[in-house]
Amino acid sequence: AFNEMSRNLAVKHQLRTGQRAENDRRLKSLMPESVVDRYRDGEENIAEDHQDVTVIYADLIGVDELSGDLEADESLKVINKLVRQFDSAAESNGIERVRNTHNGYLASCGLTVPRLDNIVRTVDFAMEMQRIVDRFNTEMDCDIKLRAGIDTGEVTSGLVGRAGLVYDLWGGAVNLAANVRRSMAEPGIYVSQDVYDATRD
């Protein structure tokens, strides 16, 4: 009986260890590791100010219309196909995705890993997003448009909420990137004056 109890305890310990590793993996896919560590240590209000961060706020015009013509699972496949390509391009360019919705994408460069060339990297990533959308349109015979805003400067990152935690980014650079994107009627990649001044040559 004692041996059986020991085996049961060992199995439960293994299951708990595996579950914790899986939980950590999921958390790290949603937020930086430093934030995961602070959250695990019991911190409730986690926020951090950052300097010299470049932000891209993009949306995909036409996804809602395309999704309306498809079944729910097909619509999700289409969106995931685009987002996974964006994520791959982000990783290649040293861009950190903050969050995405079915037709939006917020990312930054220089947030958790300081980079002297964060502005150039973000502009390169935006152009790669445009190439991904162009290829997607050709393959799927559709007409999705990319509209993105880019700004650089100070931002704040942190966990928002309690029951459903969300890692988010806010501050001047995020607001300006979002406003630049939102205020433009035509699709395209739009940059603030600071980004233009840094990349004009």
Side-chain angles (χ1 to χ4, degrees):
F2 181 79
N3 287 339
E4 184 64 26
M5 184 178 71
S6 295
R7 277 193 294 272
N8 287 340
L9 286 172
V11 169
K12 286 181 181 176
H13 177 71
Q14 263 185 333
L15 289 172
R16 277 201 196 104
T17 302
Q19 187 61 55
R20 179 170 178 156
E22 176 63 15
N23 288 344
D24 281 354
R25 186 190 67 77
R26 288 182 180 177
L27 284 171
K28 287 172 185 174
S29 72
L30 300 171
M31 62 189 78
E33 189 170 348
S34 59
V35 176
V36 173
D37 292 339
R38 292 172 65 184
Y39 175 68
R40 198 188 304 120
D41 289 341
E43 281 191 59
E44 292 188 0
N45 298 309
I46 301 174
E48 190 174 356
D49 293 326
H50 309 268
Q51 311 293 322
D52 299 321
V53 174
T54 304
V55 175
I56 177 168
Y57 212 135
D59 59 16
L60 298 168
I61 303 164
V63 167
D64 289 333
E65 291 78 2
L66 179 63
S67 299
D69 297 332
L70 301 171
E71 296 294 327
D73 58 340
E74 286 299 315
S75 173
L76 184 61
K77 282 181 186 175
V78 167
I79 293 163
N80 280 340
K81 184 175 181 180
L82 272 172
V83 170
R84 286 175 184 142
Q85 290 182 71
F86 292 159
D87 286 347
S88 178
E91 188 174 348
S92 297
N93 284 279
I95 306 296
E96 303 166 70
R97 185 189 72 183
V98 177
R99 61 180 160 85
N100 65 275
T101 59
H102 76 287
N103 64 350
Y105 199 94
L106 173 63
S108 67
C109 187
L111 187 69
T112 60
V113 179
R115 298 185 187 275
L116 294 174
D117 59 346
N118 61 74
I119 296 174
V120 173
R121 283 174 179 267
T122 307
V123 172
D124 287 345
F125 170 62
M127 292 190 293
E128 182 60 27
M129 288 181 83
Q130 182 62 68
R131 287 189 285 271
I132 289 168
V133 170
D134 291 343
R135 282 196 306 268
F136 181 84
N137 284 334
T138 301
E139 292 169 7
M140 301 292 292
D141 191 27
C142 57
D143 191 28
I144 291 173
K145 307 285 190 192
L146 177 73
R147 182 174 56 194
I150 303 174
D151 187 35
T152 191
E154 299 177 4
V155 299
T156 303
S157 67
L159 293 183
V160 179
R162 185 174 180 84
L165 282 173
V166 175
Y167 179 72
D168 207 356
L169 199 65
W170 61 93
V174 180
N175 293 338
L176 187 53
N179 289 336
V180 164
R181 173 210 60 164
R182 193 182 305 118
S183 63
M184 299 300 174
E186 294 298 317
I189 299 166
Y190 297 93
V191 301
S192 67
Q193 187 67 44
D194 286 342
V195 174
Y196 175 72
D197 289 342
T199 57
R200 61 188 299 173
D201 294 334

